[in-house]
Amino acid sequence: MTENTSATQSPKAPAAKFGGKGLNIAIVVAGLLTVMGLALWFVQLNGGMVQTGMRNLDSWGLYITMFMFLVGLSAGGLIISSAPRVLGVEGFGGISKVAVWTSICCTVLAIGFVVVDLGQPLRLWELFAYSNLGSPLMWDIVVLGTYLILSIMYLWATLRFEGGKGSAASLRVISAIALVCAILVHSVTAWIFGLQQGREMWNTALLAPWFVSSALVCGVALVLVVVIALRRAGYLELDQSFVVKMAKLLGVFVCVDLYFFGCDLLTEGFPGGHGAEMVAMLTTGQLAPFFWVEVIGCILCAVVCFTPKLRTNPLIVVASLLAIAGIFCKRVQLLVGGFQIPNLDYAGPVSQYTVTGWESGMAGAYQGMVYWPTLLEFGVALGVLGLGALLLLVGLKHLPLKPTEESH
């Protein structure tokens, strides 16, 4: 099969009716997951954060890992939506509105994971009342809030333009601002970690561009999965050539991300380098499963994206899911790895409240994984993801997100 044939087969979605009973059942299931997550979150609030796997010396866990991951998903979706309009080039067949709505849902989830990570969410107002503008955490709060507002404005402006109530020039301006903010939101998230000088794995200037490249990988991959699913369900009529274009773009972003990863590993692990222990931890130590899933999964994704005979929709979905899983594993490596190597020789009393595996002392505690989520954390996280699925499905059902002539 030639590349041209691969790019043009199945120009339209199959004749199917989107929605109906199946969509309503999915919305109900997502709603039930959300309610379950809320119930478990109240359990966490009543019993305290000691019910989680987090401790004083490894104080971030699954919730902040998901926060980093979802910020990337959201930024990537908005970037591939706004960049073609800003640059005045052909987009991806009118899928911009779906990509932006997906981005908005992921941003809401990212904020949700920050909220459930707070031991006392009712004291959230203190972040603003006693804010430290010199802290990257405060920068992230400001940028993330601005980003969510801009994403909603961008979707609103797109819908107005398609309804004949806005100008192409104003939409292009909003697109440009949204694009800059999408890059900033992931850069600032990276600086929360990269400016921590006491953590060997985090303190690198490469972290911000690396976060942006990861955002592009998982953002494009998520949009591909959603678009192919909606195309199959009859929601979108999209030429296969646009799917192939996005797949090629995904392959490029995956290669760039692997390049950044390789540069970081070489710098850290070069003979005489400070990070040899960190590289050993990733490649053969406690975090090796996450490392190899990322590397092998991303390589397989690139092979599918760059091989014309393999660019069928089922394999593109598999490749996209491998890329998403790889970026999630990268987030696990980054967050857990930052705590895995102790940076204090004498950290005070060792107890069940300060360090995981405290019974074997400080040295023994770091022999295994310093953090693993509890069932409560998995349940709360599943509930937050249920909220995202609920928002996505309700939006697809009720918002005018289908492409129109103006979308192209």
Side-chain angles (χ1 to χ4, degrees):
M1 182 182 292
T2 64
E3 180 170 341
N4 184 57
T5 305
S6 172
T8 57
Q9 67 179 13
S10 304
K12 292 187 178 182
K17 184 178 180 181
F18 178 78
K21 185 178 179 180
L23 179 61
N24 291 331
I25 291 174
I27 289 174
V28 170
V29 171
L32 291 175
L33 284 176
T34 304
V35 172
M36 178 208 71
L38 284 171
L40 291 176
W41 182 42
F42 284 122
V43 171
Q44 177 182 294
L45 290 176
N46 289 329
M49 297 297 283
V50 72
Q51 299 172 97
T52 71
M54 294 179 279
R55 293 295 180 265
N56 283 5
L57 298 185
D58 40 286
S59 53
W60 287 339
L62 177 63
Y63 301 150
I64 298 302
T65 301
M66 293 300 299
F67 161 71
M68 287 192 290
F69 177 63
L70 285 160
V71 167
L73 286 175
S74 66
L78 187 61
I79 287 171
I80 68 164
S81 170
S82 58
R85 196 179 298 275
V86 172
L87 299 175
V89 298
E90 184 182 3
F92 298 101
I95 65 169
S96 174
K97 292 178 291 184
V98 172
V100 175
W101 180 243
T102 304
S103 176
I104 291 171
C105 294
C106 289
T107 307
V108 171
L109 291 193
I111 295 173
F113 274 108
V114 172
V115 172
V116 298
D117 186 69
L118 295 173
Q120 291 291 340
L122 294 178
R123 298 169 71 177
L124 183 63
W125 62 273
E126 293 184 5
L127 289 174
F128 303 94
Y130 306 107
S131 60
N132 175 14
L133 296 180
S135 168
L137 287 169
M138 197 61 207
W139 304 346
D140 204 46
I141 291 171
V142 173
V143 172
L144 194 60
T146 304
Y147 174 72
L148 178 59
I149 294 170
L150 276 174
S151 299
I152 296 172
M153 287 180 59
Y154 178 50
L155 180 60
W156 173 76
T158 302
L159 296 177
R160 276 179 55 85
F161 175 70
E162 292 184 359
K165 297 180 181 179
S167 66
S170 61
L171 182 58
R172 191 170 183 179
V173 170
I174 295 176
S175 301
I177 298 172
L179 178 60
V180 172
C181 193
I183 296 172
L184 272 177
V185 73
H186 225 56
S187 298
V188 173
T189 303
W191 292 334
I192 291 176
F193 298 89
L195 300 180
Q196 300 287 332
Q197 298 178 3
R199 300 289 175 180
E200 176 69 38
M201 192 169 184
W202 297 349
N203 188 220
T204 168
L206 191 61
L207 209 58
W210 194 4
F211 263 53
V212 174
S213 70
S214 297
L216 291 170
V217 170
C218 55
V220 173
L222 178 64
V223 172
L224 265 172
V225 172
V226 171
V227 164
I228 291 174
L230 292 179
R231 188 169 177 263
R232 184 172 180 81
Y235 185 85
L236 296 176
E237 291 188 356
L238 185 69
D239 192 273
Q240 180 70 8
S241 62
F242 293 113
V243 175
V244 171
K245 285 180 182 178
M246 282 195 293
K248 291 178 180 178
L249 197 61
L250 175 61
V252 172
F253 291 150
V254 164
C255 290
V256 171
D257 196 67
L258 286 174
Y259 169 72
F260 283 151
F261 199 11
C263 289
D264 190 63
L265 290 174
L266 177 63
T267 305
E268 296 287 353
F270 196 74
H274 294 289
E277 184 181 2
M278 184 202 80
V279 175
M281 173 188 67
L282 291 177
T283 56
T284 60
Q286 299 91 333
L287 292 172
F290 297 98
F291 174 85
W292 291 112
V293 166
E294 177 195 355
V295 172
I296 295 173
C298 287
I299 290 174
L300 290 175
C301 172
V303 169
V304 171
C305 292
F306 290 137
T307 306
K309 290 184 179 180
L310 297 179
R311 283 198 297 257
T312 62
N313 282 348
L315 284 179
I316 290 175
V317 169
V318 172
S320 300
L321 293 176
L322 284 174
I324 292 171
I327 298 304
F328 178 76
C329 287
K330 180 194 297 293
R331 296 295 175 258
V332 173
Q333 294 168 60
L334 181 71
L335 188 131
V336 179
F339 294 115
Q340 188 68 51
I341 301 175
N343 61 347
L344 291 173
D345 292 330
Y346 302 100
V350 177
S351 72
Q352 65 193 56
Y353 304 110
T354 59
V355 65
T356 307
W358 63 279
E359 303 92 339
S360 54
M362 183 67 75
Y366 285 92
Q367 294 302 310
M369 285 276 282
V370 296
Y371 166 79
W372 189 258
T374 62
L375 289 177
L376 179 65
E377 288 172 272
F378 281 122
V380 173
L382 187 61
V384 178
L385 293 175
L387 173 62
L390 180 64
L391 290 174
L392 180 65
L393 294 171
V394 170
L396 292 173
K397 181 175 182 178
H398 296 290
L399 294 176
L401 300 178
K402 290 186 179 181
T404 63
E405 289 300 320
E406 289 77 8
S407 300
H408 299 264

